Amino acid sequence: MEALALDILTTAAILFVVSTGLMIILGVMKLINFAHGAFLTAGGYIAYLVGAAGLNPWLAVPAAAILGLLAGLVIERTIIRPLYHRPLDAILATWGLGIVIGQVFALTFGRGVQFAPSPILGTIDVFGSEYSGYRLAMLAIAIVLAVALSALLSFTRFGLNARAVIANEPLARGLGIDSANVRSITFGLGAGLACAAGALITPLLSVDPNMGLPWLVNSFMLVMISGVSFPSLLVASLLLGGSQVLVSTYISPILGGMTIVVLAALILRLKPKGFSRA
């Protein structure tokens, strides 16, 4: 029972970490970034390359975050920004970008599965049960990330400007806030978070050119029902991630893989605004 509870908590933590990059872009820019899965995959390959070079596996996370941030800034400036007044085209552009990035990875690394070393090996005794040390580390990382992002949006100048853009962008521009700069930083931050998440989850799984696709689907559903709120995303990750673990454990792993999508669709059918209070 202790192991099952830990599975639920750590699965929720992993889902939260994977979804934050998608949420911050959607919340500020009102843009569904369908390249999110490709950024996750990029982080996975960075973790693989760091491991192949014999470096400390933890170095993959900041390396992926920095490279993702820089790539996001360039992509926002060259591809996304010219399409702000054509939101559907902007969404399609991220979808096409994700396909292109996936094909580049396939040409570079092949379509086979690659593995990255885990920064933490072995198990830790938790209430008499041996449990994966790295999965427990992911739980701690999710908590730190939630606190850091909440602080960023609540106590910094960027957060104040971002919340103003979210509430009323024309008014924010009228007050002198550079909304274009806010959007650029937001996309870069979202891309950096996605790449870092990809580097974090790869030691638990593996990486291939299509690794990010299932994570993109689950992240999208979690963000939709969370009402674009980090506390709500935590709740959604815990409820739906816990349901996935229970279904996989007691019924079928195949059905467990469908749990998040099915439950999210039911929640949106009954409560179109998800967990949002608005």
Side-chain angles (χ1 to χ4, degrees):
M1 185 59 71
E2 291 83 0
L4 181 61
L6 289 172
D7 280 344
I8 291 173
L9 290 175
T10 55
T11 297
I14 293 168
L15 289 169
F16 177 81
V17 169
V18 168
S19 303
T20 51
L22 184 66
M23 166 165 280
I24 198 167
I25 290 176
L26 178 62
V28 176
M29 302 177 67
K30 307 299 187 292
L31 173 69
I32 300 172
N33 177 26
F34 282 116
H36 181 72
F39 287 133
L40 291 169
T41 305
Y45 277 113
I46 291 172
Y48 161 69
L49 291 173
V50 167
L55 301 175
N56 188 324
W58 283 119
L59 293 176
V61 180
I66 293 171
L67 291 175
L69 172 65
L70 295 176
L73 293 174
V74 172
I75 290 168
E76 188 279 335
R77 184 65 183 86
T78 58
I79 298 176
I80 307 299
R81 187 175 297 186
L83 300 175
Y84 280 151
H85 299 294
R86 295 150 56 192
L88 179 58
D89 289 345
I91 292 173
L92 291 175
T94 65
W95 177 69
L97 176 65
I99 294 175
V100 170
I101 293 174
Q103 292 303 310
V104 169
F105 287 141
L107 290 172
T108 304
F109 298 98
R111 297 192 177 276
V113 174
Q114 309 289 348
F115 296 92
S118 175
I120 299 176
L121 300 175
T123 60
I124 297 175
D125 184 86
V126 182
F127 302 118
S129 298
E130 294 295 323
Y131 198 77
S132 166
Y134 188 62
R135 285 184 70 95
L136 291 173
M138 287 295 295
L139 179 58
I141 289 169
I143 294 172
V144 171
L145 182 61
V147 172
L149 289 175
S150 297
L152 175 68
L153 294 178
S154 300
F155 303 115
T156 66
R157 171 65 65 178
F158 167 75
L160 177 63
N161 292 344
R163 285 184 285 120
V165 170
I166 292 171
N168 191 322
E169 185 171 351
L171 179 59
R173 286 199 302 267
L175 295 173
I177 295 174
D178 187 347
S179 62
N181 186 55
V182 170
R183 286 171 174 266
S184 179
I185 294 174
T186 297
F187 195 88
L189 179 60
L193 287 170
C195 283
L200 283 167
I201 64 174
T202 297
L204 293 170
L205 305 165
S206 60
V207 61
D208 63 77
N210 296 315
M211 179 196 85
L213 182 57
W215 293 103
L216 168 64
V217 174
N218 285 339
S219 297
F220 176 74
M221 301 308 291
L222 288 169
V223 169
M224 288 295 99
I225 68 170
S226 67
V228 196
S229 159
F230 286 116
S232 295
L233 180 60
L234 276 171
V235 174
S237 298
L238 184 59
L239 292 178
L240 273 66
S243 299
Q244 181 185 56
V245 171
L246 292 174
V247 171
S248 297
T249 301
Y250 293 110
I251 301 177
S252 164
I254 296 176
L255 293 177
M258 302 167 53
T259 300
I260 291 178
V261 173
V262 173
L263 288 182
L266 289 174
I267 291 171
L268 290 173
R269 176 65 180 85
L270 299 172
K271 198 169 188 272
K273 292 184 179 179
F275 296 148
S276 173
R277 296 181 182 180

